[in-house]
Amino acid sequence: MRIGLAGVGRIGAFHASTLAGLDAVDEVVVADLDAGLARRVAADQGLAVEGDLDALLARDDLDGFVITTATTARAELLRRTVAAGIPTFCEKPVAATLPETIELTTIVESAGVPVHVGFQRRFDVGYRRAREAVASGELGVVHAIRALTHDQEPPHAAYVPTSGGIFRDCSVHDFDIVRFVTGQEVATVSATGANKGAAFFGEAGDVDTAAAILTLDDDTLVTATATRYSGGGHDVRMEVMGSVASVAVGLDASLALRSAEEGVTFPTGPVHANFMQRFRAAYVAELTAFCDVAAGRVASPCTVRDALQAFRVAEACEISRAEGRPVALAEVADAPVADAPAADAALGSAV
């Protein structure tokens, strides 16, 4: 299998290395707007390289395509790969705005070309176990969930203005995984945020710490928090609390918390420094699954419509934060659903 990859920044180079190590992949061909960077990454990792993105897209020997460019470039690339009929893996978000995401959902579902969106937590062992516990009834009635994404260090100042904001860039992972674990949709949100760190967050209209209360359509209450300043370590967790039992994802020796109780030595560490350390195994599983998608063996485990639903929750949170009020998801535009049976396949979110 030959995979093309567009964009060799931090996550792109990481994905290229992961793909090259998979048994199903014979060759990875990379390209970037920065041709020199593409050549360096290709040389370092023993990959093939094209001179530019147009040349990569023009090839007729690609079995799959991976989009890991800057967010603002993804929508156009995805339109082109879908038009060419190439199964595509696209990092989240697939587009920078809600209208573009809605447009892409309609295009992809109409074309029938497999597109797998990169929400890697769906492939993490802990989150999958939590999903099973909810689905089996092991926890009884799930009444509350706590989800969090706390980065150890803030991103570079230049990243923030084009990131879409902390809810669209960071908490969107929590919004997707809440849908995945519970099988429920978000009905309403109430969100807020604050800045106690670098000034560049506020200058870009963003916040460095945020919190949201989500009410799911079965009345489960979810609290989701995010921060760019978790100095004790990269901290991504979920607690699912039920009437019979509760489970926690991310509660292991790497936990970026220390007990205030006397004599408690857990956790022993070391902590994770970033998302690539935290989810390394999940990334391998995710791209292995994409190879199966590209080969036609399985349907997409995370569709563009799944990405749209998570984006809509983030959009609602931004409205809530800006206007200081609860926001119903019904207020946020959605893509029309195609006629069945195509719609059934497009809406599938099970792994």
Side-chain angles (χ1 to χ4, degrees), residues 134 175 178-186 216-220:
V134 172
F175 303 151
V178 164
R179 293 182 66 244
F180 178 77
V181 168
T182 66
Q184 305 296 324
E185 297 292 348
V186 176
L216 304 188
D217 54 13
D218 68 346
D219 287 334
T220 300

Side-chain angles (χ1 to χ4, degrees), residues 113-137:
V113 177
V115 176
H116 176 180
V117 181
F119 282 105
Q120 84 283 351
R121 294 185 196 181
R122 290 175 175 237
F123 295 87
D124 177 78
V125 172
Y127 284 109
R128 291 171 68 96
R129 171 70 184 94
R131 175 185 166 98
E132 291 169 1
V134 172
S136 68

Side-chain angles (χ1 to χ4, degrees), residues 245-279:
S246 301
V247 295
V249 180
L251 185 63
D252 59 20
S254 70
L255 184 66
L257 286 176
R258 293 296 173 264
S259 175
E261 304 300 332
E262 185 176 355
V264 177
T265 58
F266 175 84
T268 57
V271 300
H272 296 299
N274 53 54
F275 63 88
M276 290 183 289
Q277 289 182 7
R278 169 68 174 85
F279 290 109

Side-chain angles (χ1 to χ4, degrees), residues 307-330:
L308 170 61
Q309 299 314 317
F311 197 101
R312 291 178 67 234
V313 179
E315 192 83 3
C317 286
E318 285 292 355
I319 296 170
S320 177
R321 179 178 75 86
E323 299 183 5
R325 66 176 179 88
V327 175
L329 262 290

